Amino acid sequence: MQKDLRIVFMGTPEFAVASLKALVENGYHIAGVITAPDKPAGRGMKMTESAVKKYAVEKGIPVLQPEKLKNPGFLQQLQLLRADVQVVVAFRMLPEVVWNMPPMGTINVHGSLLPQYRGAAPINWAIINGEKETGVTTFKLQHEIDTGNILLQRTIPIHENETAGELHDKMKEVGAALLVETIQKLAGGKLAEAPQKVVSNDLKHAPKLFTETCKIDWTKSVDDIHNLIRGLSPFPGAYTMLNGKTFKIYKSSKEKTVLNDAAGSVTTDHKTYIKFACKDGYIYANDIQLEGKKRMAVQDFLRGNKV
C-alpha cells in the first residue's frame, strides 16, 4: 500500500513546509524530518528553529538537525528511520551516502523547468532574465547538482510585474501538489524517469545571488532594470545610491521614452514620484527603503525626506 511508504523529508525554509504539509495531509507516513540546526536570529540573536522544524514538531514528527551530513552518528540515525524514499525541498547538497540510501532513491523538488535554471536561485533568475514562464520539476538526485532524471514537470506563467516573492508563494503550492502526484505515481509503478535533455549552449543558470548582482546599472534598458528589481524583491533587494545611502527598490514601473538625461540621474516632484533615467526611458521607484529606514511607498518617503 503506497501510504505505508516510509518517507524521510529534508528541507529548511518556508518554501519546503508546503510540500511537507501536502504529504502529511495526504496521509503519507513521514518517518523523520532532516533540517538545519537552530541558529541565532533577530536583534536579540535568539536561537530560532527552521520553518520545517516548527511544522514537524507541531505534528509530532521526529527531527534530526545534523551539522555535517557525513557524520557517522547522523548516518546511523538516518539508517534507523528505514526510509523507502527521501524527499528534498530547499535543503543543502547531499553526499552520495545520504541520497543513495533509500531503495526508491531521493526525490528533489526544484523551482524551474530543468535543465534550465539549475542552481541556488532559480525563481530570481527566471524573472531577472525576463522569462514569460517557469515551472517546477521533480527529479531523482544524482552526482551533479540538479542533473538527475526528471519525474514530473508543471509550467507556471510569470506575469509582467510579478515579483520573486509572489512567484515563490505560487510555486511552493504547485510544487507541493506535484510532489504528492510524483510520490503516488512512483509508488504505484506508473512513473518513467526521463534523462534531462541538455543543449549546453542553450542552458541558463541560477547561481547564488551576491551583493554585486543586486546593484542597479542605470545604463541598461528599462526592461532589464524592471526585471532585476522584480527578480530581487523582496529579498535581497535591488539597490542604488541616493543621498549617499543605499536605496533599495522593491517595486517599480517603467516609462519608455527618448531622453537626454544622464543614466542614473534622478527626477522627482517631491510629492508623488522618484524616477531614474536609464538607456531608453525612466524607472519609477514605487516601493522603497532607504538605508536605516523602514520599507515604504515612495509617497510616504517623500513626505519626510528631501531628494
Side-chain angles (χ1 to χ4, degrees):
M1 179 68 183
Q2 64 187 43
K3 296 287 163 90
D4 295 336
L5 269 185
R6 292 178 65 82
I7 299 173
V8 165
F9 185 91
M10 303 182 179
T12 297
E14 191 55 50
F15 186 85
V17 177
S19 290
L20 177 57
K21 189 167 179 250
L23 291 171
V24 169
E25 288 177 356
N26 278 275
Y28 285 98
H29 176 56
I30 310 299
V33 159
I34 318 300
T35 191
D38 299 355
K39 59 178 188 214
R43 282 197 178 154
M45 295 307 274
K46 194 167 154 257
M47 290 305 276
T48 306
E49 301 170 329
S50 75
V52 163
K53 180 183 175 180
K54 282 177 188 156
Y55 179 81
V57 168
E58 196 184 292
K59 295 291 170 191
I61 302 167
V63 175
L64 297 177
Q65 295 176 276
E67 288 282 354
K68 293 193 165 66
L69 297 176
K70 286 183 178 172
N71 178 297
F74 163 65
L75 292 174
Q76 198 176 1
Q77 288 175 301
L78 187 59
Q79 201 103 44
L80 290 171
L81 293 174
R82 303 193 327 279
D84 295 303
V85 65
Q86 289 172 162
V87 169
V88 183
V89 185
F91 194 49
R92 55 204 211 241
M93 217 171 142
L94 302 184
E96 183 176 358
V97 66
V98 172
W99 59 254
N100 217 3
M101 198 179 279
M104 287 169 68
T106 297
I107 297 166
N108 191 206
V109 178
H110 186 75
S112 79
L113 295 171
L114 288 172
Q116 296 300 348
Y117 296 107
R118 292 170 175 165
I123 299 174
N124 308 90
W125 283 105
I127 294 179
I128 291 168
N129 289 340
E131 302 290 359
K132 299 286 185 278
E133 63 176 32
T134 181
V136 183
T137 304
T138 52
F139 72 98
K140 282 273 189 83
L141 281 195
Q142 285 177 0
H143 285 282
E144 295 292 318
I145 195 157
D146 299 337
T147 59
N149 288 351
I150 288 172
L151 298 167
L152 291 174
Q153 288 189 317
R154 249 335 139 272
T155 301
I156 301 171
I158 303 175
H159 302 298
E160 194 188 359
N161 295 309
E162 194 163 22
T163 64
E166 289 158 352
L167 181 58
H168 164 282
D169 291 350
K170 204 160 67 177
M171 196 178 268
K172 71 180 181 187
E173 300 304 332
V174 175
L178 191 67
L179 173 63
V180 170
E181 189 186 335
T182 302
I183 296 279
Q184 277 167 352
K185 288 185 171 168
L186 205 60
K190 295 176 184 153
L191 200 52
E193 299 175 26
Q196 293 187 29
K197 290 192 182 77
V198 176
V199 183
S200 57
N201 58 3
D202 184 38
L203 275 189
K204 291 170 184 167
H205 300 281
K208 202 172 159 185
L209 301 167
F210 293 99
T211 308
E212 206 40 53
T213 318
C214 305
K215 191 175 182 183
I216 299 168
D217 176 357
W218 296 111
T219 64
K220 292 193 167 179
S221 71
V222 289
D223 286 336
D224 284 347
I225 296 168
H226 182 62
N227 292 341
L228 180 77
I229 290 165
R230 294 189 303 125
L232 297 172
S233 175
F235 183 83
Y239 76 93
T240 188
M241 300 306 286
L242 187 74
N243 298 348
K245 290 186 172 177
T246 302
F247 185 73
K248 287 192 175 186
I249 306 174
Y250 297 102
K251 288 203 174 168
S252 56
S253 46
K254 51 193 186 182
E255 177 193 344
K256 287 194 178 178
T257 184
V258 177
L259 70 168
N260 296 316
D261 300 359
S265 59
V266 184
T267 311
T268 178
D269 64 353
H270 303 288
K271 282 181 188 164
T272 59
Y273 72 83
I274 298 174
K275 63 181 183 180
F276 293 84
C278 35
K279 188 165 91 177
D280 55 354
Y282 295 101
I283 285 284
Y284 286 78
N286 300 331
D287 185 350
I288 58 90
Q289 184 176 20
L290 187 67
E291 188 182 323
K293 295 195 180 290
K294 284 200 303 218
R295 179 177 165 175
M296 62 183 82
V298 71
Q299 293 87 342
D300 297 331
F301 174 76
L302 286 169
R303 267 188 217 112
N305 295 275
K306 283 220 159 34
V307 175

